[in-house]
């Protein structure tokens, strides 16, 4: 028995140059426009048996705009960034350069007082591993790009530092197939095909 789970990265809520940790802002006009342009490719995913999203406003709005009517999943929330919540990486670096360096170098570090990168990846992976598996079952999950990156690292059993080398663009998709502990990454193809 295997599952096919497609992650859709949420549309943007602000300039990508101003990405903030745990950004709870809603979709901006550019994000709404992106959803409209991508809808023809992404709407077919609404046929999935199960539809989920991160609990953020932009993930919910992206899923709703695509007709998914997704169920928010707390385990798909962004990494808890503690006192850096709402900061850009540059702002955190300006305030606490050594702490940011430690956080970037050690996946178990929590200098911000929140969640480590390792714990974040493990949490997202735990959610992935507990999805109901029906042979050929299809699931879609709209999530923050950081959550999609964590899921990829987990599915590939890659070292946590790999997280920093994955770029997930708004409204991009990635599919994992398999079951708990045995995931494969599927790249390419058309959204509507299996």
């Amino acid at each position: 028995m295997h599952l096919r789970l497609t992650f859709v990265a949420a549309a943007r809520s602000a300039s990508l140059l101003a990405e903030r940790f745990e950004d709870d802002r809603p979709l901006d006009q550019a994000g709404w426009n992106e959803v409209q342009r991508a809808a023809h490719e992404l709407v077919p995913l609404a046929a999935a048996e199960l539809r989920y999203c991160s609990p953020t406003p932009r993930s919910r709005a992206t899923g709703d705009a695509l007709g998914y009517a997704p169920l928010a999943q707390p385990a798909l929330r962004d990494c808890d960034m503690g006192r850096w919540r709402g900061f850009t990486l540059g702002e955190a670096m300006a305030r606490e350069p050594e702490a940011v360096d430690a956080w970037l170098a050690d996946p178990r570090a929590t200098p911000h007082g929140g969640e480590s990168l390792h714990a974040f990846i493990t949490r997202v992976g735990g959610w992935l591993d507990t999805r109901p598996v029906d042979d050929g079952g299809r699931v879609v999950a709209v999530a923050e790009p950081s959550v999609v990156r964590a899921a990829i690292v987990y599915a590939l059993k890659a070292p946590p530092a790999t997280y920093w080398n994955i770029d997930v663009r708004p409204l991009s998709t990635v599919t994992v197939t398999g079951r708990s502990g045995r995931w494969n990454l599927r790249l390419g193809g058309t959204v509507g095909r299996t």
Side-chain angles (χ1 to χ4, degrees), residues 8-23:
V8 177
R12 73 168 114 186
S13 61
S15 165
L16 294 177
L17 299 177
E19 279 193 61
R20 298 185 175 279
F21 297 129
E22 292 187 88
D23 190 354

Side-chain angles (χ1 to χ4, degrees), residues 29-46:
Q29 189 59 51
W32 283 109
N33 294 342
E34 287 175 345
V35 170
Q36 296 307 309
R37 284 192 301 274
H40 70 281
E41 292 179 33
L42 299 175
V43 166
L45 292 171

Side-chain angles (χ1 to χ4, degrees), residues 15-106:
S15 165
L16 294 177
L17 299 177
E19 279 193 61
R20 298 185 175 279
F21 297 129
E22 292 187 88
D23 190 354
D24 282 340
R25 291 178 287 180
L27 290 182
D28 62 11
Q29 189 59 51
W32 283 109
N33 294 342
E34 287 175 345
V35 170
Q36 296 307 309
R37 284 192 301 274
H40 70 281
E41 292 179 33
L42 299 175
V43 166
L45 292 171
E49 289 88 5
L50 299 171
R51 297 169 305 280
Y52 301 111
C53 69
S54 294
T56 62
R58 76 180 188 165
S59 292
R60 287 176 189 245
T62 300
D64 287 342
L66 293 170
Y68 299 170
L71 176 64
Q73 298 286 282
L76 293 180
R77 70 189 182 284
D78 210 343
C79 186
D80 176 357
M81 296 305 292
R83 69 179 171 275
W84 295 348
R85 183 170 200 243
F87 290 0
T88 65
L89 179 60
E91 290 167 346
M93 182 65 91
R95 289 174 172 86
E96 302 179 49
E98 288 107 18
V100 172
D101 287 343
W103 175 66
L104 292 172
D106 180 0

Side-chain angles (χ1 to χ4, degrees), residues 119-183:
F120 173 51
I121 292 168
T122 301
R123 171 172 46 86
V124 171
W127 178 86
L128 181 61
D129 280 347
T130 57
R131 294 309 86 210
V133 178
D134 289 326
D135 200 26
R138 293 181 302 151
V139 177
V140 65
V142 180
E144 297 302 310
S146 60
V147 173
V148 178
R149 289 163 64 188
I152 292 168
V153 171
Y154 184 84
L156 294 176
K157 298 180 183 174
T162 306
Y163 176 89
W164 304 118
N165 302 102
I166 300 171
D167 184 23
V168 176
R169 308 299 295 168
L171 297 172
S172 61
T173 62
V174 65
T175 300
V176 294
T177 60
R179 64 185 189 288
S180 179
R182 295 188 49 103
W183 297 103

